[in-house]
Every structure is written in C-alpha cells, then in structure tokens.
Amino acid sequence: MTTLAFATDRIPSGRREQLATRVIFLVVGIVMAGFAPLVPLAKLRLGLDEGALGLLLLCLGLGSILAMPITGILTARWGCRAVIAVASVIMIGAFPFLAVADSWLSMAVAIAVFGASLGTVDVAMNIQAVMVERDSGRPMMSGFHGLFSLGGIAGAGGMSALLALGGLSPLVAAIVVSVVSLLLVGLSLGGLLPYGDNGQEKSPLFALPKGGVLLLGILCLLTFLAEGSVLDWSAVFLTSVRGADIGLAGLGYAAFAVAMTGGRLAGDRIRMALGERRVILFGGLIGAIGFAVVLLVPSAHAGLVGYFLVGVGASNLVPVLFSAAGRTRDMSPGLAITAVSTLGYLGLLAGPALIGFVAHLTTLPFAFVLLSAAMLMVAASYKVAK
C-alpha cells in the first residue's frame, strides 16, 4: 500500500489517542445495538404492521446515507474531535426519543436524526482511526472495529437486561444507556484529534469515488452485503430450508457475531503475521466456504458452523479495506474513507432487500449462492493490497 502524509503541523498521536479511538468505537457499537431491543417495542407502541415498520426503519439508513458523504469535509474543516463530539451528543440525545415517540412521524424523525448522527460519527471515527493507525506504525484498525463489535454485544445485551431483568421502562433503560455512553464520550475527548484530513480543506463537499477507491468501496459493499444478509436472513434460512426451530435458528447470527468479534480482536496480529493481501484472500475464501457449508450440508447444526466461518472470514475484511482507503493516492484520505463508508452502508442496507428480491424470483438457497460468489469476488481482489 502507498502512504499519504497528512498535515505536517500536527502532533503524532499516541496511547491517549489510541485509547480514545477504541472508546468511541465501543460507544457507537453500544448505542447502535441498543436500538435493536427498542424496535419490537416501537412496533407494539405504534401499532405498526411489518410494512410500516420496514418503512420506518428505512429512515435510519436514509439519515446515515445523507450525512455520511459530507463528513469527510466536516472533519477537514473542524477536526475529528469537534465532529465526533457534536455528532455523538446528538446521537446519544436522540436515543431516548426512540423509546417514547408516540406517532409514526415523530418516530421517523427521531430515527432519521439518530441515523444521520450515527453515520457522521461512524465516518469521523474511521478517519481518526486511519490517522492513529498511521502514526502508530502498526496495524490497529481490526482492534478498533473489534471494540465496535464488543460494544454491539454489550449494547444489545445490556439494553435487553435492563428491560427484562431490571424491570425498567424503555425510557429509563434508554436514559441509562445514554448516560453511560455520554460519560464514555466525555472521557475520550482529550484523545480525539483536533484536526482532520487537512488536504481536503478545499475539496468539494462530496466527490464520486475514483480509481482504487472505487474498487475498495465495491469490495466493502460486497462484504457489508454479506454481513447484513446474515443478520436478516440466517434465521429465516435455518427455519424455512433446514426446518430448525426458532431457538436454534436464532443462534446462527450469534455464531457469526462471536466469530466476527474474536476475529477482529485478534485481527491486528493476524494482519502482521499474514499481510493484508493474505487477509483479503483467505478472508474471502473462508467466507465463501462458510456460505457453501450453509447451502450444501443439509443440517441446521452445520448451518451454525457455516455462519461461524462466514464471521471468521469477514471479520477483518472491512478494517483492511478502510486502512487501504486511508493510504490511497487516488483521493484525499478523508474523501476516500467517506466514499468507502457510504458504499459499504449501501451494501448493508440494500443487501437484505436484494436477497429477498432474488429469493422471491428464484429460491432462498440460490440467493445464498450469490453471497458465496460475492465472497469469492472479494478473495479474487486480494492484489488490491499492494
């Protein structure tokens, strides 16, 4: 990979900045996953059918997609610290409203604001992560994303525990999560970078990805497409195709998530041992094999093994692609990360719907064949890491 220098008048980041980056990734994972237990409660509170709920949840993705393309220029002008701090406060402040909004319109607005601020923090923290990783002189991106995965487990599990075991109302539980998250953000402020990609200060608010950045964005899209499809379709596949009961089927995503988290926490050492080319090659191949196991072995338990393999394979693909985007010469690092993030989110949002469309026209197993093919395409692109 080539390197690209940032502004020369800044102080290289150190341990404090590394810790702050990890904390922000953890917070975003907590808040994002904490929203999941609130979704069925919102469905009941507002009396929504599946179609209305799906349209409502689309507001989350639309808010993110609209905000993400301009985040690179915002960090260039005001620095990562300011953008992350302001967007985090908005994100955390919007979270309790998701537990009490009493009409479809108010819930749609709350979700859109939540999604926009979430998308902004996501891009800004990855811009910070790329600069911190560059200053450290060693791979760190997988570890950062591993903290996001850990935050996801803590957020979903913690919110569910507060509601079920703690007996708290949705509003009080959401406030607890918000207070903890806000405290963590406050503790991390000193380590957030007061600068961004200064080379982008005079860039347009948004630029179409070009050259190697476009390829990285497409690979990120394919990876996120596979991840989102496991989230939304793993249980459906196991119940409708393998005849598993819902309790066992729900373990499909759990197996994937555990593998993803473990793989990312060990990912920096793996990247140092294998190199980024082999991480992309082996990651794509293992992901493709995982989907093949799900498809070809007629057993629900084998399906769990397959989803675990998909998690192992996909775990370090996105961190490697983000690191590569931050080192490209085709675009400034801020714009490159913004473009790759936006394309990745498009895959995450469009993937489950695409799988459903293909399954409707053909069969769900055939749709999963396409997911295996997508992972093979990622593996075939391993020479992108040069």
Side-chain angles (χ1 to χ4, degrees):
M1 300 275 187
T2 57
T3 57
L4 180 63
F6 292 90
T8 58
D9 59 346
R10 60 179 180 78
I11 301 173
S13 55
R15 291 186 180 277
R16 184 178 64 169
E17 288 75 17
Q18 295 169 16
L19 178 60
T21 308
R22 292 188 179 96
V23 171
I24 291 300
F25 272 81
L26 179 71
V27 168
V28 173
I30 290 172
V31 177
M32 185 174 180
F35 174 54
L38 295 177
V39 173
L41 297 177
K43 183 177 184 294
L44 292 174
R45 184 174 69 251
L46 302 177
L48 304 176
D49 59 21
E50 283 72 14
L53 179 63
L55 188 60
L56 188 64
L57 294 176
L58 184 61
C59 296
L60 177 69
L62 290 176
S64 296
I65 293 299
L66 289 175
M68 293 176 81
I70 66 171
T71 303
I73 193 66
L74 294 179
T75 58
R77 292 180 178 177
W78 288 294
C80 293
R81 178 186 297 164
V83 174
I84 292 174
V86 172
S88 294
V89 169
I90 296 173
M91 174 185 70
I92 293 168
F95 188 69
F97 287 95
L98 304 177
V100 296
D102 57 1
S103 70
W104 191 94
L105 181 59
S106 62
M107 189 68 175
V109 172
I111 288 180
V113 172
F114 180 71
S117 54
L118 178 67
T120 300
V121 179
D122 188 286
V123 174
M125 72 183 186
N126 276 289
I127 291 174
Q128 157 126 353
V130 164
M131 292 190 287
V132 169
E133 181 184 58
R134 191 192 74 85
D135 286 343
S136 74
R138 59 188 177 87
M140 302 191 74
M141 188 66 76
S142 292
F144 294 147
H145 282 256
L147 266 294
F148 172 82
S149 298
L150 275 180
I153 295 173
M159 191 68 179
S160 298
L162 290 172
L163 292 171
L165 303 179
L168 301 181
S169 69
L171 176 59
V172 174
I175 290 175
V176 170
V177 172
S178 292
V179 170
V180 172
S181 300
L182 193 60
L183 287 174
L184 289 172
V185 171
L187 291 173
S188 70
L189 284 179
L192 298 179
L193 303 179
Y195 48 83
D197 170 18
N198 290 358
Q200 194 186 332
E201 284 180 341
K202 298 181 180 180
S203 298
L205 283 178
F206 177 69
L208 293 174
K210 57 185 179 181
V213 176
L214 178 59
L215 174 59
L216 292 170
I218 292 173
L219 296 177
C220 195
L221 184 151
L222 292 174
T223 304
F224 271 124
L225 187 153
E227 292 182 16
S229 297
V230 172
L231 172 62
D232 288 337
W233 288 99
S234 59
V236 176
F237 185 93
L238 291 175
T239 53
S240 63
V241 179
R242 297 294 179 233
D245 61 57
I246 190 63
L248 179 62
L251 295 177
Y253 183 72
F256 170 83
V258 168
M260 176 76 75
T261 303
R264 284 180 169 175
L265 291 176
D268 294 325
R269 292 188 294 274
I270 293 172
R271 289 170 63 187
M272 292 181 69
L274 298 180
E276 293 185 340
R277 281 189 173 188
R278 290 189 179 93
V279 169
I280 293 176
L281 174 61
F282 296 151
L285 288 175
I286 293 171
I289 291 170
F291 280 119
V293 170
V294 173
L295 282 165
L296 300 177
V297 182
S299 162
H301 291 90
L304 300 183
V305 175
Y307 290 130
F308 183 87
L309 290 175
V310 174
V312 170
S315 59
N316 290 300
L317 293 177
V318 169
V320 167
L321 295 173
F322 272 51
S323 292
R327 297 194 296 265
T328 182
R329 290 187 182 275
D330 294 320
M331 299 174 69
S332 68
L335 277 180
I337 295 167
T338 297
V340 170
S341 298
T342 304
L343 285 172
Y345 262 69
L346 283 175
L348 189 65
L349 294 170
L354 178 63
I355 294 301
F357 179 72
V358 172
H360 177 72
L361 293 179
T362 57
T363 64
L364 185 56
F366 180 76
F368 270 51
V369 170
L370 298 183
L371 294 175
S372 185
M375 288 292 94
L376 287 176
M377 291 174 63
V378 174
S381 70
Y382 73 96
K383 289 187 178 180
V384 70
K386 59 184 178 180

